[in-house]
Structure formats: structure tokens, C-alpha cells
Amino acid sequence: MDPLACAPMGRLIVIEGLDGSGKRTLTDALTKELADRGLTATRWAFPRYGESVHADLITDAMHKRLGPLVDTVYGMAVLYALDRQGAAAGIRADLERFDVVLVDRYLASNAAYCAARLHEDAHGDMVRWVRDVELGRFELPVPDAHLLLRVPVEVAAARTAHRADTEAGRERDSYETDGGLQARCSEVYEQLAEQNWVSPWHVVDGSGPVDAVALVDRILG
Ligand SMILES: Cc1cn([C@H]2C[C@H](O)[C@@H](COP(=O)(O)O)O2)c(=O)[nH]c1=O
């Protein structure tokens, strides 16, 4: 074997969608389907609650624990980006060890949610900023593909409300209770998918069960 040949890198697949779109369930189904095909997979989720100081600061802001202080879109965008920067080396290492690395929310969440909190005129600048900072300056591993779980905003909202009622300690955060934000966010996601922002996007209907077999076929080509 050529000693200079590089080991093949795993694929970095990002799962995106509104709060309540079913990202966790889809990630579980993909993990199982990949294992059934004899492929190794691991997973990450952002923000890294309980694992990074940046995620702790995000939680304070999301649950309105800042008192008279205000969170700003820019401040939040930086915190989310720093949370990911702290994970970059770990993700890179996983890409060398696993066939597939599944990520539940990545920089596209920052682009979609932060843009959705700004006037439409500023959306382009926000989306560019996220890409330049996270992939450019922070050098995060670049995704090979994005999966966007498309669900009507009302369906996603009903799911997060149900989760808050039935799961202990799963109180809805300030983004989840803001229907206007979720609706604008959904629009930005559609634009990112349309542009194949950063990598190819696959749109998946998340209102019912997802066919993981067909989806893995699509992703792996
Ligand atoms: C990962 C990430 C999440 N978010 C938002 C989306 C969610 O409403 C919220 C928390 O994510 P979660 O509900 O999936 O735990 O943070 C961003 O605004 N930027 C990011 O980079």
C-alpha cells in the first residue's frame, strides 16, 4: 500500500430543522440503518448542553435568566459558534475513525435562527458571517450533506409543547415559544436548502415517519 495514501475520511452529515421537527428520531433511525449496512457511525448534537461553558451561557439566555441584561443576536451567534469551535478537533478525530458522523444541528442552525431574529435586509449578511467565521476562521469540518426535516410550523410547535408537558425537566425555551421566529426560521432554512448552502441539501418530509433506508441510499449515493 502506498504509505502516503490518506485514510478515507468519514462523511459528515448534518440534520437540521425546526424545534420539534424530529431530528433526534431521524438521527436514531439513520444510526440503525447505517449499522444494518455494516457502517460505523457516531453522533454529535449542538449546543453541547452540560459539556461546554458556552452552552451554559446559551441556556441562561434561552431561558431568560439574564435579568435586566439582554441577549443580542450577535452575542448568541458567537456563543453558538464558540461551542462548536471547542468540538472541532473531536469531530475531526471522529471523521478519521467512523464511516459517518451524524450531527444534530450545526452552523446552518446559527445561520437560520440568527437571521430569523433580524430584519430580512440583514439575512444575507448574517448567513455569510456564520459561514466565514465558523468554516473560515474557526475551521470547522465542512459538512458533506445537510438533511432538512421539513414540517409545518404548527406541527413542530405542537410537538415541543407535548414534550414539555410529558418529559420531566423539558421546559420550552424562549425560541420554542416564539411562533413568529419559528416561521421565519423555516423560511430561511428553505432558502439555504434551495441554494445548497455549504453542501448539498436533501429535504425530507418530517410530518410522518421517515424512510431511513431510502434516505441513506440518497445520502450515500
Ligand atoms: C446549534 C444552534 C442552535 N440554535 C438554536 C436553535 C434552537 O432553537 C436552540 C437550541 O437548540 P435545541 O432546541 O436543538 O437544543 O438554539 C441557534 O440559534 N444556533 C445554533 O448554532
Side-chain angles (χ1 to χ4, degrees), residues 9 12 46 81-93 95 106-107 129-143 198:
M9 290 287 278
L12 181 57
F46 293 98
L82 285 171
D83 178 35
R84 268 185 290 282
Q85 188 197 27
I91 296 175
R92 222 170 278 122
L95 286 166
Y106 204 47
L107 71 157
W129 181 92
V130 168
R131 183 182 185 142
D132 291 351
V133 169
E134 299 207 28
L135 296 184
R137 296 193 211 179
F138 288 0
E139 299 183 344
L140 289 181
V142 180
V198 169

Side-chain angles (χ1 to χ4, degrees), residues 9 38 54 69 74 77 89 111 115 137-138 146 161 169 183-184 199 209 215:
M9 290 287 278
H54 302 107
L69 305 176
Y74 184 71
R137 296 193 211 179
F138 288 0
H146 284 88
R184 291 192 301 280
S199 75
L215 189 54

Side-chain angles (χ1 to χ4, degrees), residues 16-187:
E16 290 285 350
L18 295 181
D19 300 289
S21 56
K23 296 181 295 303
R24 217 182 328 151
T25 309
L26 177 62
T27 309
D28 290 344
L30 292 175
T31 304
K32 182 179 175 308
E33 176 56 25
L34 290 165
D36 287 350
R37 296 183 190 209
L39 295 169
T40 58
T42 189
R43 54 208 276 182
W44 289 77
F46 293 98
R48 290 181 299 148
Y49 296 116
E51 286 175 46
S52 90
V53 67
H54 302 107
D56 294 344
L57 295 173
I58 289 167
T59 307
D60 289 345
M62 300 287 285
H63 290 277
K64 303 274 182 210
R65 293 187 200 130
L66 299 183
L69 305 176
V70 286
D71 79 85
T72 64
V73 176
Y74 184 71
M76 292 299 283
V78 170
L79 284 178
Y80 284 111
L82 285 171
D83 178 35
R84 268 185 290 282
Q85 188 197 27
I91 296 175
R92 222 170 278 122
D94 280 351
L95 286 166
E96 287 176 9
R97 290 169 46 214
F98 294 90
D99 297 312
V100 178
V101 176
L102 297 166
V103 187
D104 176 339
R105 294 200 183 283
Y106 204 47
L107 71 157
S109 280
N110 227 6
Y113 282 81
C114 292
R117 294 182 68 196
L118 296 170
H119 188 275
E120 213 174 311
D121 291 350
H123 284 188
D125 284 339
M126 187 75 244
V127 169
R128 263 189 301 280
W129 181 92
V130 168
R131 183 182 185 142
D132 291 351
V133 169
E134 299 207 28
L135 296 184
R137 296 193 211 179
F138 288 0
E139 299 183 344
L140 289 181
V142 180
D144 291 288
H146 284 88
L147 309 182
L148 173 60
L149 270 166
R150 181 189 277 157
V151 282
V153 176
E154 315 77 59
V155 172
R159 288 182 188 164
T160 58
H162 177 74
R163 206 158 59 196
D165 289 343
T166 54
E167 283 179 29
R170 194 59 182 82
E171 185 194 331
R172 288 209 291 174
D173 63 43
S174 56
Y175 282 13
E176 289 172 341
T177 52
D178 185 342
L181 174 74
Q182 298 289 330
R184 291 192 301 280
C185 187
S186 174
E187 284 170 22

